[in-house]
Every structure is written in C-alpha cells, then in structure tokens.
Amino acid sequence: MNKHITYIFFFIILFISSYAYSQVSNVNINHSVYEYLSTLSQKGIIDYDDLVKPLSRRYIASKLVEAREKMNKLTKLQKDELEFYEAEFGYEIKKQNSEFGIQNLELKEEEAGEGSRSEEKSNKVKEKRDLLDKSWEFEVRTGEMSKVKSETKNEETKNERFTFVKKDPYKRWQFFGYENNVMNLNVNPVLGYEVGNWEKDHYNNLFAGIKFYGELGEALGFNFELTHTRQTPGYINILHNRFSKHTKYDAFLADRDRLEYSKINVSLGYSWDWGAISFGKNHNTWGYAENGKIVLSDGPRSYPNIRLDIKPTDWLSFVYMHGWLNSDVLDSNSFYPTWRVIGDYKPERVTYISKFIAFHSFTITPIKNLDFSFGESVVYSDDLQLAYLIPIMFFDITDEYLNRNDNYAGGSTQLFLALSSKNHIPNTHLYGSFHADELTPDGLFDPKTQYYKFAFTFGTNTIDLPIDNLGLTLEYTKVYPGNYRHFIPTLTYESSSTILGHWIGDNGDLIYGAVNYTFFRGLKIKLWTQYIRKGTEAFGNRAYQEQFPQPGFLFLDKITDRKNYRYYGVDVNYEIFHDLWVKAHFQYIDFSQQILEDKFRSQLNRDFSLAVGYGI
C-alpha cells in the first residue's frame, strides 16, 4: 500500500507543478514580520489570513505590497518597519510586481482586442526557464554582473548577481546570496549566546547552525534551518521549563554538566493561483492566541508533514495536513538481539509504534475581517491509512468504518472551532477557539451525567489605543480534565510526549495579560503577567474510568497535586538589523503547592537572561 501511496502523491505533484506559477518558501513562525502584519490587519489596513502558520514568503510579500499602497494609513513607526521588511522580502516583492505587470499587460491587450501577445510580454515569457532544462549554465564571478550564453539555445539569461558578506540589491545584509533567472539562494549562519541566572543557578546556552532558503525555476521553493544548542549545566530547576512556551527538544547528550540538542526545520513547496502544497519537517500552528494555541501549537518538536492550502474565493479557504508523529511507545513485538555487548548486558534492537495525525479545516468570511473556522483531526497509530490522506474525508465516520466501531481498535478524533473579528471595534482583534477531544451532548449541563473533554480560549488585543505603538492583550484559557489525553498511549494528542495543543496541559486554566510598546523600529518592551491553576493531570488515573459524574475541573488524586503559579515578567527585544538581535528577559514566579486543606506552601523563583544572536 505504501508504494501505491507514493505513486499517488507523485502524480498529484506532477499535476500541480504543471500549473504552478510561484514557489512556496515558508517563513519561520517566530519571525517578527507576523506580528507586524497582524497589527496592520487588526487596524483594517490589509486583509491578512494568519489562522494557519507558517506562511510563504510570496504571500507575506504580497501583504507588504498591499501595505505600501496604503502608506497614508500607517504611523511613522509602521512606515519605518515597512521599509525594513521590504528589504527582507525584496526579491519576492520584485517577483510580485513583475507578475502584476504581466497581468495588467494582458488586460490591456484584451481591452484593445489584440489577438496576440505583445513583444514585451513575449520576451518576459522567454526569460522563464524549466527546472529540468539542462541547457543553461553560469560562471562564478563574485559580486559582479555577467551574462551567460546557452549552449543549445541562441538566447541570453538574465544577469546573475552574487552577494558575499554585504548587502544584497534589496539592501538586506546577506552572508551569501545568489540570483539569476533560474535560482535565488540565500545562506546565513546561525550564531548566538545566552547567559542567565535561575535563583542561585547560573546557566548559559551556545547556539550554532545554518539556514538557507530560495527558489528554483518556476516550480520549487525551499527553506532549511538547522540549529545546535549546548546548554551548561545540563540541569536547571524543574520550574524553569514546566510552563515554558518555547519549543521542546530531544537531547542526545545530557548529564548534570551539559545538555546538547539539535533542531531542524525544512520544507519544499509549490503554489498556484488558488492554492499551495508543501512537504517538510516543520511546525504548523492553528489559531490566533498570543500565549499558547489550544488546537495546534509549536510546543512539540517539528514533525514531517504534508500540507495543502486552497483558497478558491475571498470568502472560503481550506487547509489539510497529514503528519508523522513520534509515539514514544515501544513496539513489544519488534525486539530482537544485536551483536553489541556492554559488560554483561546485550542491548536489543527496538522500534517505536508509528503514529500519525490528519487535520483539516474550513474558514468562512461572511463579511470583511470576520472569520469563522471549523475543522476536525484524527490521531491514529500502527498503519498508515489511505482514507486519512483524502483531504475532504470526514475523519470521525472514517474511524468508525475502519475499526468497526470498536473503541479499543480505532483512532482518536477531535473537533475544533475558531472565531476572529478584526477592526470591527477600531484597532482591536477579538478571537476565540474551542477544542473538543470528547463531547457528549446528552446531559452536557447536568453535573450528574455530564461527560466531556474540551478546552477553550478567548482573548482580545488592541493596538495604538490610546497611544500609538502601544498594545494591550488579555486572554483566558481553560482545559478540562482529560483533554489531549487518551487511555490508549499511542492515541494521545501528543508528539514526542509533548502536547500538540496548549502547553498548560489538561485540568488547568490561566489568565494572561500583557502591555507592549515599541519605542522605534526594532526595539520593543513587553510587561506581562499570568496566573495558572492546576489539578491532577489525566495519566492512567480515575479520569479514565467510566463513571458518572466524571471528575470535575481541578480534581485531585492527592492533595499535593493542587498547584498555583503566578508569573510577572519583562521582555526586551532589539533587532539591530536583519536577523541580528539582543534579548533580555526577566520573570518572577510565585509557585504554591497545597499541603493541607486550604493551606499552601509557597516558593519564589527569579529568572534573568541576556542573549545576543544572529539568524535564530
């Protein structure tokens, strides 16, 4: 079956590439341009779809072009930021303007009744090259312009340009860049150093790696990011990472002296005038929240996935994703001996049970800046199922069909919703999300019979009111017991033992508030606070028993499971120029744990760090 699936995807790619007109090179979900475009969107300056990330460089370039057309609505700071990001996406903006020019030319020809293309357009079409065309070649001439003759065709390519440790033609500093009419390639190092203090424990992190992105011909876009981190010492107080919003990692070397791990994100993609498809190992997020997304977040390690985006009209869009997750569950039938001997111990070969996720959603826009989104997902294991590779399949019914309605043989399905309103209240974004792992409508509001596992978030963000460049955010999130969990270990809503949704986990809630201010282009400060309540998490305990009523919110298996966390923090970020930044972070944590009825024991922790880096 796997071979047949490979053939199917090959023909899908072949079909799409024959109609492709631009490439998909994704932008890291932590890039500051997302926050900038979101700000313009909630002020009603641009139309911006940011429910699902990452977004392509071409799409972001189109939004910057749109913002340029409405310069009179931008503040002085937003104009400075626009120039900054135009340098970052200069190549894509040039392509965008070139394609827009060709479209206008075609429209004028149709209005004039011309039966053939103009010579100007014909020349532009000739400049396009097929990715598989072997007739072109180029010479390496550092920093100089040159023209190259084709060996088999009597035509010239566009001028090629090299950039090495200087600014490129778009005024963006590059370590190495190359551009001709066939390829655009940008390569930059990843370097960084962070020093911090957690109460009496000092720590430091050293980052190193490489990233590159670009396009090949009219068909292929790509991006690659590899970062290796060395942390010393290897152990910090457990609270340091307990409720961290940062992406988790798999350490391949860990002891008390040091901890080392690597992260890699890579993608290849195609796009056409009403959609795009991409393949890669990266993060996909779904939702609008600032302090953690309940449906898909960037908390777990990135995982291989296929993603399809379709937008046939202004009022409807669709996204599908199929991912290969890590179950962290050993297959007990796969053990067999190896030849290695360690003392008296002979290690065995082991494998982990395969785990997958299929995910799709629709977004409807009934009026401008009002989006209603809904969808479903399924987590399943053991064997890859062709039915879940059909983007518009109804997963819940499919699960019943594949597994004969046997609750112990099937997968785990989830339903989710989201609502977004931008600028209906001036300069304000109102949003909410709902995620249900299990929901029984009968007796939903009867405490004696209610049985549900769901989570929700609602929040608001206001910008430039009452002061320009000042932002205010307020969010509330609640996750009921058992949401994200499952009594079959391979069907939890997790990858690499990390929740795919909100980092708080189940049986807890939080309220989050933040005030941020941008002094000038690149320098931002954020004051924030959050309060978290937690009870017993559902791990093989009575939360899985069939009983009525089910354990209520903040239920406890033992009294010490009840915990509160109060955070107060300050973050200062300064992006000096493209990819070069300095960050300072301080947080104060008041952690309290229940020891007796109505009695808590408190512990205070402070964390301060200072980091400088390039390319991270």
PDB file of all heavy atoms in Angstrom, residues 538-558:
ATOM      1  N   ALA A 538      -4.487  13.894  33.746  1.00  0.00           N
ATOM      2  CA  ALA A 538      -5.017  12.562  33.451  1.00  0.00           C
ATOM      3  C   ALA A 538      -3.913  11.663  32.899  1.00  0.00           C
ATOM      4  O   ALA A 538      -3.601  11.695  31.720  1.00  0.00           O
ATOM      5  CB  ALA A 538      -6.167  12.677  32.450  1.00  0.00           C
ATOM      6  N   PHE A 539      -3.325  10.864  33.769  1.00  0.00           N
ATOM      7  CA  PHE A 539      -2.312   9.893  33.373  1.00  0.00           C
ATOM      8  C   PHE A 539      -2.624   8.565  34.060  1.00  0.00           C
ATOM      9  O   PHE A 539      -2.194   8.316  35.175  1.00  0.00           O
ATOM     10  CB  PHE A 539      -0.903  10.346  33.774  1.00  0.00           C
ATOM     11  CG  PHE A 539      -0.327  11.404  32.898  1.00  0.00           C
ATOM     12  CD1 PHE A 539      -0.164  12.693  33.368  1.00  0.00           C
ATOM     13  CD2 PHE A 539       0.046  11.122  31.598  1.00  0.00           C
ATOM     14  CE1 PHE A 539       0.374  13.681  32.567  1.00  0.00           C
ATOM     15  CE2 PHE A 539       0.580  12.107  30.783  1.00  0.00           C
ATOM     16  CZ  PHE A 539       0.738  13.386  31.265  1.00  0.00           C
ATOM     17  N   GLY A 540      -3.435   7.719  33.414  1.00  0.00           N
ATOM     18  CA  GLY A 540      -3.718   6.401  33.952  1.00  0.00           C
ATOM     19  C   GLY A 540      -4.423   6.393  35.292  1.00  0.00           C
ATOM     20  O   GLY A 540      -4.290   5.434  36.053  1.00  0.00           O
ATOM     21  N   ASN A 541      -5.161   7.464  35.605  1.00  0.00           N
ATOM     22  CA  ASN A 541      -5.844   7.517  36.892  1.00  0.00           C
ATOM     23  C   ASN A 541      -7.359   7.451  36.700  1.00  0.00           C
ATOM     24  O   ASN A 541      -7.844   7.063  35.630  1.00  0.00           O
ATOM     25  CB  ASN A 541      -5.435   8.787  37.658  1.00  0.00           C
ATOM     26  CG  ASN A 541      -5.542  10.041  36.790  1.00  0.00           C
ATOM     27  OD1 ASN A 541      -6.422  10.131  35.930  1.00  0.00           O
ATOM     28  ND2 ASN A 541      -4.640  10.985  37.006  1.00  0.00           N
ATOM     29  N   ARG A 542      -8.123   7.888  37.687  1.00  0.00           N
ATOM     30  CA  ARG A 542      -9.572   7.721  37.624  1.00  0.00           C
ATOM     31  C   ARG A 542     -10.239   8.590  36.565  1.00  0.00           C
ATOM     32  O   ARG A 542     -11.430   8.423  36.290  1.00  0.00           O
ATOM     33  CB  ARG A 542     -10.189   8.012  38.990  1.00  0.00           C
ATOM     34  CG  ARG A 542      -9.981   9.431  39.518  1.00  0.00           C
ATOM     35  CD  ARG A 542     -10.411   9.494  40.980  1.00  0.00           C
ATOM     36  NE  ARG A 542     -10.182  10.786  41.578  1.00  0.00           N
ATOM     37  CZ  ARG A 542     -11.106  11.733  41.692  1.00  0.00           C
ATOM     38  NH1 ARG A 542     -12.321  11.513  41.219  1.00  0.00           N
ATOM     39  NH2 ARG A 542     -10.830  12.871  42.277  1.00  0.00           N
ATOM     40  N   ALA A 543      -9.479   9.481  35.937  1.00  0.00           N
ATOM     41  CA  ALA A 543     -10.045  10.263  34.848  1.00  0.00           C
ATOM     42  C   ALA A 543     -10.429   9.377  33.667  1.00  0.00           C
ATOM     43  O   ALA A 543     -11.218   9.773  32.818  1.00  0.00           O
ATOM     44  CB  ALA A 543      -9.049  11.331  34.388  1.00  0.00           C
ATOM     45  N   TYR A 544      -9.883   8.160  33.609  1.00  0.00           N
ATOM     46  CA  TYR A 544     -10.173   7.245  32.510  1.00  0.00           C
ATOM     47  C   TYR A 544     -11.271   6.231  32.859  1.00  0.00           C
ATOM     48  O   TYR A 544     -11.663   5.441  32.022  1.00  0.00           O
ATOM     49  CB  TYR A 544      -8.906   6.486  32.107  1.00  0.00           C
ATOM     50  CG  TYR A 544      -7.837   7.377  31.535  1.00  0.00           C
ATOM     51  CD1 TYR A 544      -6.661   7.620  32.242  1.00  0.00           C
ATOM     52  CD2 TYR A 544      -7.991   7.980  30.291  1.00  0.00           C
ATOM     53  CE1 TYR A 544      -5.678   8.435  31.714  1.00  0.00           C
ATOM     54  CE2 TYR A 544      -7.015   8.799  29.763  1.00  0.00           C
ATOM     55  CZ  TYR A 544      -5.856   9.027  30.481  1.00  0.00           C
ATOM     56  OH  TYR A 544      -4.891   9.829  29.962  1.00  0.00           O
ATOM     57  N   GLN A 545     -11.736   6.242  34.086  1.00  0.00           N
ATOM     58  CA  GLN A 545     -12.762   5.287  34.479  1.00  0.00           C
ATOM     59  C   GLN A 545     -14.133   5.723  33.967  1.00  0.00           C
ATOM     60  O   GLN A 545     -14.436   6.924  33.920  1.00  0.00           O
ATOM     61  CB  GLN A 545     -12.805   5.157  36.012  1.00  0.00           C
ATOM     62  CG  GLN A 545     -11.515   4.613  36.616  1.00  0.00           C
ATOM     63  CD  GLN A 545     -11.584   4.555  38.133  1.00  0.00           C
ATOM     64  OE1 GLN A 545     -12.640   4.726  38.724  1.00  0.00           O
ATOM     65  NE2 GLN A 545     -10.440   4.296  38.762  1.00  0.00           N
ATOM     66  N   GLU A 546     -14.937   4.751  33.576  1.00  0.00           N
ATOM     67  CA  GLU A 546     -16.307   5.045  33.170  1.00  0.00           C
ATOM     68  C   GLU A 546     -17.140   5.228  34.429  1.00  0.00           C
ATOM     69  O   GLU A 546     -17.521   4.266  35.096  1.00  0.00           O
ATOM     70  CB  GLU A 546     -16.854   3.921  32.290  1.00  0.00           C
ATOM     71  CG  GLU A 546     -16.171   3.818  30.940  1.00  0.00           C
ATOM     72  CD  GLU A 546     -16.864   2.818  30.030  1.00  0.00           C
ATOM     73  OE1 GLU A 546     -17.902   2.269  30.443  1.00  0.00           O
ATOM     74  OE2 GLU A 546     -16.365   2.591  28.920  1.00  0.00           O
ATOM     75  N   GLN A 547     -17.406   6.463  34.753  1.00  0.00           N
ATOM     76  CA  GLN A 547     -18.137   6.771  35.967  1.00  0.00           C
ATOM     77  C   GLN A 547     -18.918   8.056  35.765  1.00  0.00           C
ATOM     78  O   GLN A 547     -18.571   8.891  34.944  1.00  0.00           O
ATOM     79  CB  GLN A 547     -17.171   6.924  37.148  1.00  0.00           C
ATOM     80  CG  GLN A 547     -16.082   7.974  36.892  1.00  0.00           C
ATOM     81  CD  GLN A 547     -15.122   8.093  38.048  1.00  0.00           C
ATOM     82  OE1 GLN A 547     -15.540   8.150  39.199  1.00  0.00           O
ATOM     83  NE2 GLN A 547     -13.835   8.116  37.755  1.00  0.00           N
ATOM     84  N   PHE A 548     -19.996   8.206  36.478  1.00  0.00           N
ATOM     85  CA  PHE A 548     -20.817   9.405  36.426  1.00  0.00           C
ATOM     86  C   PHE A 548     -21.097   9.866  37.862  1.00  0.00           C
ATOM     87  O   PHE A 548     -21.564   9.088  38.695  1.00  0.00           O
ATOM     88  CB  PHE A 548     -22.127   9.137  35.673  1.00  0.00           C
ATOM     89  CG  PHE A 548     -21.925   8.755  34.240  1.00  0.00           C
ATOM     90  CD1 PHE A 548     -21.930   7.421  33.856  1.00  0.00           C
ATOM     91  CD2 PHE A 548     -21.713   9.732  33.277  1.00  0.00           C
ATOM     92  CE1 PHE A 548     -21.737   7.061  32.531  1.00  0.00           C
ATOM     93  CE2 PHE A 548     -21.520   9.375  31.952  1.00  0.00           C
ATOM     94  CZ  PHE A 548     -21.534   8.049  31.569  1.00  0.00           C
ATOM     95  N   PRO A 549     -20.785  11.122  38.148  1.00  0.00           N
ATOM     96  CA  PRO A 549     -20.182  12.061  37.197  1.00  0.00           C
ATOM     97  C   PRO A 549     -18.686  11.833  37.041  1.00  0.00           C
ATOM     98  O   PRO A 549     -18.065  11.182  37.884  1.00  0.00           O
ATOM     99  CB  PRO A 549     -20.442  13.411  37.852  1.00  0.00           C
ATOM    100  CG  PRO A 549     -20.415  13.098  39.322  1.00  0.00           C
ATOM    101  CD  PRO A 549     -21.036  11.728  39.457  1.00  0.00           C
ATOM    102  N   GLN A 550     -18.122  12.343  35.972  1.00  0.00           N
ATOM    103  CA  GLN A 550     -16.685  12.301  35.774  1.00  0.00           C
ATOM    104  C   GLN A 550     -16.013  13.265  36.750  1.00  0.00           C
ATOM    105  O   GLN A 550     -16.652  14.182  37.277  1.00  0.00           O
ATOM    106  CB  GLN A 550     -16.347  12.718  34.334  1.00  0.00           C
ATOM    107  CG  GLN A 550     -16.595  11.626  33.305  1.00  0.00           C
ATOM    108  CD  GLN A 550     -15.558  10.524  33.383  1.00  0.00           C
ATOM    109  OE1 GLN A 550     -14.380  10.751  33.201  1.00  0.00           O
ATOM    110  NE2 GLN A 550     -16.011   9.299  33.665  1.00  0.00           N
ATOM    111  N   PRO A 551     -14.727  13.080  37.029  1.00  0.00           N
ATOM    112  CA  PRO A 551     -14.029  14.024  37.912  1.00  0.00           C
ATOM    113  C   PRO A 551     -14.168  15.450  37.398  1.00  0.00           C
ATOM    114  O   PRO A 551     -14.017  15.711  36.207  1.00  0.00           O
ATOM    115  CB  PRO A 551     -12.567  13.549  37.849  1.00  0.00           C
ATOM    116  CG  PRO A 551     -12.654  12.113  37.474  1.00  0.00           C
ATOM    117  CD  PRO A 551     -13.844  11.996  36.570  1.00  0.00           C
ATOM    118  N   GLY A 552     -14.487  16.366  38.273  1.00  0.00           N
ATOM    119  CA  GLY A 552     -14.716  17.750  37.883  1.00  0.00           C
ATOM    120  C   GLY A 552     -13.434  18.519  37.649  1.00  0.00           C
ATOM    121  O   GLY A 552     -12.320  18.012  37.850  1.00  0.00           O
ATOM    122  N   PHE A 553     -13.587  19.754  37.239  1.00  0.00           N
ATOM    123  CA  PHE A 553     -12.436  20.615  36.970  1.00  0.00           C
ATOM    124  C   PHE A 553     -11.622  20.812  38.241  1.00  0.00           C
ATOM    125  O   PHE A 553     -12.156  21.016  39.329  1.00  0.00           O
ATOM    126  CB  PHE A 553     -12.915  21.959  36.426  1.00  0.00           C
ATOM    127  CG  PHE A 553     -11.805  22.910  36.109  1.00  0.00           C
ATOM    128  CD1 PHE A 553     -10.907  22.632  35.088  1.00  0.00           C
ATOM    129  CD2 PHE A 553     -11.637  24.076  36.834  1.00  0.00           C
ATOM    130  CE1 PHE A 553      -9.871  23.507  34.791  1.00  0.00           C
ATOM    131  CE2 PHE A 553     -10.606  24.951  36.546  1.00  0.00           C
ATOM    132  CZ  PHE A 553      -9.728  24.668  35.522  1.00  0.00           C
ATOM    133  N   LEU A 554     -10.294  20.730  38.082  1.00  0.00           N
ATOM    134  CA  LEU A 554      -9.314  20.822  39.173  1.00  0.00           C
ATOM    135  C   LEU A 554      -9.468  19.666  40.172  1.00  0.00           C
ATOM    136  O   LEU A 554      -9.199  19.812  41.367  1.00  0.00           O
ATOM    137  CB  LEU A 554      -9.417  22.165  39.908  1.00  0.00           C
ATOM    138  CG  LEU A 554      -9.010  23.413  39.111  1.00  0.00           C
ATOM    139  CD1 LEU A 554      -9.138  24.661  39.979  1.00  0.00           C
ATOM    140  CD2 LEU A 554      -7.587  23.298  38.584  1.00  0.00           C
ATOM    141  N   PHE A 555      -9.886  18.484  39.664  1.00  0.00           N
ATOM    142  CA  PHE A 555      -9.968  17.322  40.550  1.00  0.00           C
ATOM    143  C   PHE A 555      -8.578  16.934  41.040  1.00  0.00           C
ATOM    144  O   PHE A 555      -7.559  17.213  40.389  1.00  0.00           O
ATOM    145  CB  PHE A 555     -10.652  16.148  39.832  1.00  0.00           C
ATOM    146  CG  PHE A 555      -9.731  15.312  38.983  1.00  0.00           C
ATOM    147  CD1 PHE A 555      -9.070  14.217  39.521  1.00  0.00           C
ATOM    148  CD2 PHE A 555      -9.520  15.612  37.637  1.00  0.00           C
ATOM    149  CE1 PHE A 555      -8.225  13.433  38.740  1.00  0.00           C
ATOM    150  CE2 PHE A 555      -8.681  14.840  36.850  1.00  0.00           C
ATOM    151  CZ  PHE A 555      -8.035  13.746  37.405  1.00  0.00           C
ATOM    152  N   LEU A 556      -8.525  16.247  42.190  1.00  0.00           N
ATOM    153  CA  LEU A 556      -7.258  15.874  42.809  1.00  0.00           C
ATOM    154  C   LEU A 556      -7.245  14.388  43.126  1.00  0.00           C
ATOM    155  O   LEU A 556      -8.197  13.854  43.694  1.00  0.00           O
ATOM    156  CB  LEU A 556      -7.032  16.662  44.103  1.00  0.00           C
ATOM    157  CG  LEU A 556      -6.996  18.194  43.998  1.00  0.00           C
ATOM    158  CD1 LEU A 556      -6.839  18.796  45.381  1.00  0.00           C
ATOM    159  CD2 LEU A 556      -5.877  18.647  43.081  1.00  0.00           C
ATOM    160  N   ASP A 557      -6.167  13.698  42.742  1.00  0.00           N
ATOM    161  CA  ASP A 557      -5.926  12.332  43.200  1.00  0.00           C
ATOM    162  C   ASP A 557      -5.221  12.350  44.551  1.00  0.00           C
ATOM    163  O   ASP A 557      -5.413  11.463  45.382  1.00  0.00           O
ATOM    164  CB  ASP A 557      -5.075  11.574  42.187  1.00  0.00           C
ATOM    165  CG  ASP A 557      -5.932  10.857  41.153  1.00  0.00           C
ATOM    166  OD1 ASP A 557      -7.174  10.884  41.300  1.00  0.00           O
ATOM    167  OD2 ASP A 557      -5.378  10.287  40.205  1.00  0.00           O
ATOM    168  N   LYS A 558      -4.400  13.365  44.741  1.00  0.00           N
ATOM    169  CA  LYS A 558      -3.762  13.568  46.044  1.00  0.00           C
ATOM    170  C   LYS A 558      -3.669  15.073  46.274  1.00  0.00           C
ATOM    171  O   LYS A 558      -3.599  15.861  45.320  1.00  0.00           O
ATOM    172  CB  LYS A 558      -2.381  12.920  46.108  1.00  0.00           C
ATOM    173  CG  LYS A 558      -1.436  13.301  44.984  1.00  0.00           C
ATOM    174  CD  LYS A 558      -0.134  12.517  45.110  1.00  0.00           C
ATOM    175  CE  LYS A 558       0.818  12.890  43.961  1.00  0.00           C
ATOM    176  NZ  LYS A 558       2.093  12.142  44.044  1.00  0.00           N
TER     177      LYS A 558
END
